[in-house]
Amino acid sequence: MRFLEKIPYALKRLLFRISPALAKTLGVDFRLRAFSRMFLEQEIFGYINQQFRRGAGTPAARCLFIGLDKHNWHYDRLLDLDFYSMDLNPRNAVYGQANRHVVGSATELSAYYPPRSFDVVVANGLIGFGLDTEEAFDQLMFECHRVLTDDGVLVLGYNDKPDRLSFRVEQAAGFQAFKTFEPGIPGMTGARHVVADKFQHCYVFLRPRRLGYAVDAVGLARAA
């Protein structure tokens, strides 16, 4: 439905207000044309769809997307997984799917989801945009660790710039609860990809550590 791309933004918003279900059926979106978003929507989501594709008769893999708003409400249409979402702002709940969206904090995932609930967690654009301290980052990471399956994937995205970061992400205790891995996405030569624009947006691919590592009940990383 490429003709929808030519519809003015205001008309798209009006259609969404009238009926979000109809807007979704017609393929309306409010996507940002930033390079970092395009890399996420094309390369990263393509990788996730390929890696977590399941055959007929098998329950679909489950993905939790943290930080839902109008600019990414179409992501459930791009991913071939059961799509769940969370955002702290109650006003953004309208963009989530019924019974699959939670209004809450990313530092309290285990208050809403049982352990090992998700095969994929995407936490993009949180650090430096409300989740600003190393302590809060650690809690986010420990919570992601709890709700991911043993062979699950965490895609962490953030602007790697001093004006947004007050700590070293890779040196934080919460980061050590994971191991990095190279996803094999064309154009990537490691576990980390930095988009070459003024925002220096970085994506890191991570899997939970299980052997010789544990996360205790209060969210402290320690050797097992």
Side-chain angles (χ1 to χ4, degrees):
M1 297 185 180
R2 290 188 174 275
F3 73 94
L4 287 171
E5 298 178 2
K6 300 179 181 180
I7 295 178
Y9 183 86
L11 290 181
K12 289 184 180 181
R13 290 288 292 157
L14 177 61
L15 178 58
F16 181 86
R17 291 192 186 100
I18 293 172
S19 173
L22 177 60
K24 181 176 180 178
T25 299
L26 293 175
V28 168
D29 64 55
F30 308 98
R31 69 183 65 196
L32 297 175
R33 302 296 176 180
F35 290 118
S36 61
R37 295 294 182 108
M38 290 188 285
F39 187 82
L40 175 64
E41 295 173 8
Q42 297 172 17
E43 279 75 15
I44 294 179
F45 285 176
Y47 164 80
I48 291 173
N49 285 335
Q50 181 181 42
Q51 293 298 310
F52 290 92
R53 183 179 294 115
R54 294 180 176 175
T58 304
R62 291 158 56 104
C63 174
L64 174 63
F65 187 88
I66 307 174
L68 191 73
D69 60 23
K70 63 179 176 291
H71 297 301
N72 52 38
W73 86 295
H74 62 288
Y75 282 3
D76 71 299
R77 288 169 260 164
L78 302 182
L79 285 165
D80 298 330
L81 290 75
D82 283 345
F83 186 86
Y84 293 78
S85 56
M86 166 182 273
D87 196 86
L88 189 61
N89 188 344
R91 296 179 61 183
N92 287 336
V94 67
Y95 301 109
Q97 298 184 65
N99 302 318
R100 290 191 174 186
H101 181 81
V102 164
V103 177
S105 172
T107 62
E108 300 174 348
L109 295 180
S110 55
Y112 305 100
Y113 307 108
R116 297 174 176 80
S117 292
F118 299 102
D119 301 282
V120 179
V121 173
V122 180
N124 184 49
L126 305 179
I127 307 170
F129 293 90
L131 197 149
D132 303 327
T133 67
E134 185 170 355
E135 180 182 10
F137 173 74
D138 285 342
Q139 194 59 36
L140 164 70
M141 298 296 281
F142 294 135
E143 291 290 287
C144 288
H145 190 282
R146 292 188 183 103
V147 302
L148 273 168
T149 58
D150 290 351
D151 58 351
V153 170
L154 169 62
V155 180
L156 183 67
Y158 57 95
N159 288 7
D160 193 10
K161 297 183 64 179
D163 63 330
R164 290 296 177 185
L165 283 175
S166 60
F167 59 94
R168 292 291 300 275
V169 168
E170 293 82 359
Q171 296 178 1
F175 194 89
Q176 306 311 312
F178 292 82
K179 53 187 176 183
T180 61
F181 74 97
E182 183 175 347
I185 293 175
M188 289 189 64
T189 57
R192 190 172 183 269
H193 177 76
V194 179
V195 179
D197 62 11
K198 66 178 181 179
F199 301 108
Q200 292 294 291
H201 198 75
C202 171
Y203 291 105
V204 183
F205 287 77
L206 302 149
R207 293 190 188 276
R209 291 184 185 274
R210 293 297 174 188
L211 298 177
Y213 206 88
V215 177
D216 68 23
V218 296
L220 298 175
R222 59 180 175 80

